[in-house]
Amino acid sequence: MILKYDESKCVECGFCHRVCPVTVSIYDEPIKKTAIGTPEEMGMESDKKIVVDTEKCIWCGSCSWICPGYTLELIINDEKRIPLVENGSLPEFKEQVRELEDGKKIRKVVDGSIKITCEENDKKILESFANECATGALSPGKGEIKVDEDLCILCYKCSEAAKKYGKIDVKVFRDRFMEVRGEPASVWNAISERVLGKAGKIKGIISRSQNKLADAVMRLMGKEEEELT
Ligand code: SF4
Ligand code: SF4
Ligand code: SF4
């Protein structure tokens, strides 16, 4: 099995990190580390935007299922596959594709809203902040940051970046997934909670074997943990 990653398409939106059912070493945050994320999130040395911990990965394909940039592909026996969609555990999205200025295709996977509060007037700082956006949805105005809501994929990249800018604050509200086809299995609820940012505090999880969501996903794929170690 291979998880192919095309970095040229990656918009660093972080959805893969949030959807991954593997949870490693969580103490006081909803999600601290999964099997995929930025090198910083994963505590790994790399010059890539996104890295995978192949020792922890359970090859479920959830990250390629959600990836808004069509960046990830799970290859099993030379075929592109998403086992959790094939067995009906996850639904397929009704595609909501947008084309970015550089020609990249991106799709919206969640619906909701974004609120930007701006007290910054410095043009250079406003421009620099607008450039933090994953999709080019932000542009600087006069003492404000404008959002093209049609292009915004509600990815938290700008809300994280805003922490470095004293006079700009961003709140992203993910209300629901975009329309999907089919009836998903119960694992969907847990995955929804993670992606929509509604996961509660989970304490004391220190290994994959204690991770109920990853275990549930493996059962849905008809696998036991021993097969993957
Ligand atoms: S979900 Fe896709 S586009 Fe977003 S950070 Fe992960 S690999 Fe990159
Ligand atoms: S294939 Fe599944 S376990 Fe592996 S990184 Fe992607 S979401 Fe995580
Ligand atoms: S405006 Fe913010 S939340 Fe929307 S796509 Fe850009 S970085 Fe992501």
Side-chain angles (χ1 to χ4, degrees):
M1 283 176 275
I2 306 169
L3 189 56
K4 272 173 72 179
Y5 168 59
D6 181 347
E7 190 170 37
S8 67
K9 294 185 191 164
C10 179
V11 292
E12 298 172 81
C13 64
F15 275 101
C16 51
H17 177 62
R18 279 222 148 237
V19 81
C20 178
V22 173
T23 310
V24 183
S25 189
I26 290 184
Y27 294 100
D28 55 3
E29 293 175 36
I31 293 176
K32 190 167 182 183
K33 185 176 173 219
T34 64
I36 187 167
T38 61
E40 191 188 345
E41 284 161 344
M42 301 296 292
M44 290 162 86
E45 291 276 321
S46 174
D47 54 6
K48 297 258 183 251
K49 293 175 186 167
I50 291 293
V51 289
V52 179
D53 184 340
T54 49
E55 286 193 5
K56 298 286 186 296
C57 178
I58 57 170
W59 312 106
C60 66
S62 303
C63 51
S64 69
W65 166 75
I66 205 165
C67 177
Y70 303 98
T71 304
L72 296 163
E73 288 182 358
L74 179 62
I75 307 293
I76 303 175
N77 296 332
D78 296 328
E79 268 182 71
K80 183 182 156 191
R81 296 186 46 195
I82 304 182
L84 289 179
V85 171
E86 288 167 22
N87 71 17
S89 305
L90 287 178
E92 281 183 84
F93 285 106
K94 289 188 181 168
E95 300 285 278
Q96 299 267 350
V97 184
R98 304 287 182 271
E99 189 163 334
L100 305 187
E101 253 182 40
D102 59 6
K104 271 186 215 154
K105 293 249 189 307
I106 193 123
R107 63 183 175 154
K108 289 164 87 104
V109 290
V110 293
D111 199 6
S113 57
I114 176 168
K115 186 174 174 225
I116 301 185
T117 313
C118 179
E119 290 173 5
E120 183 59 70
N121 285 305
D122 187 306
K123 203 173 153 221
K124 281 216 164 90
I125 296 177
L126 290 168
E127 277 170 6
S128 155
F129 181 73
N131 285 335
E132 304 271 6
C133 176
T135 65
L138 297 181
S139 55
K142 211 172 168 199
E144 64 170 343
I145 293 284
K146 297 178 190 165
V147 191
D148 178 344
E149 295 203 7
D150 190 53
L151 270 188
C152 174
I153 57 170
L154 302 171
C155 70
Y156 298 145
K157 186 161 181 270
C158 58
S159 55
E160 279 302 307
K163 293 175 185 165
K164 298 180 288 181
Y165 295 76
K167 296 181 180 171
I168 302 174
D169 181 64
V170 181
K171 296 224 170 357
V172 173
F173 304 96
R174 291 182 185 168
D175 297 336
R176 63 191 78 81
F177 276 99
M178 283 294 184
E179 251 192 289
V180 292
R181 296 186 180 90
E183 289 293 321
S186 56
V187 71
W188 170 250
N189 295 331
I191 283 183
S192 299
E193 283 191 355
R194 286 195 166 200
V195 175
L196 300 179
K198 292 174 182 156
K201 223 178 217 189
I202 309 166
K203 287 196 175 171
I205 293 175
I206 53 168
S207 76
R208 189 176 68 192
S209 62
Q210 289 173 271
N211 182 339
K212 288 191 178 139
L213 180 54
D215 290 347
V217 168
M218 283 194 283
R219 278 196 296 277
L220 285 167
M221 294 193 297
K223 293 178 182 174
E224 296 299 332
E225 186 173 359
E226 300 80 65
E227 290 178 45
L228 296 150
T229 51

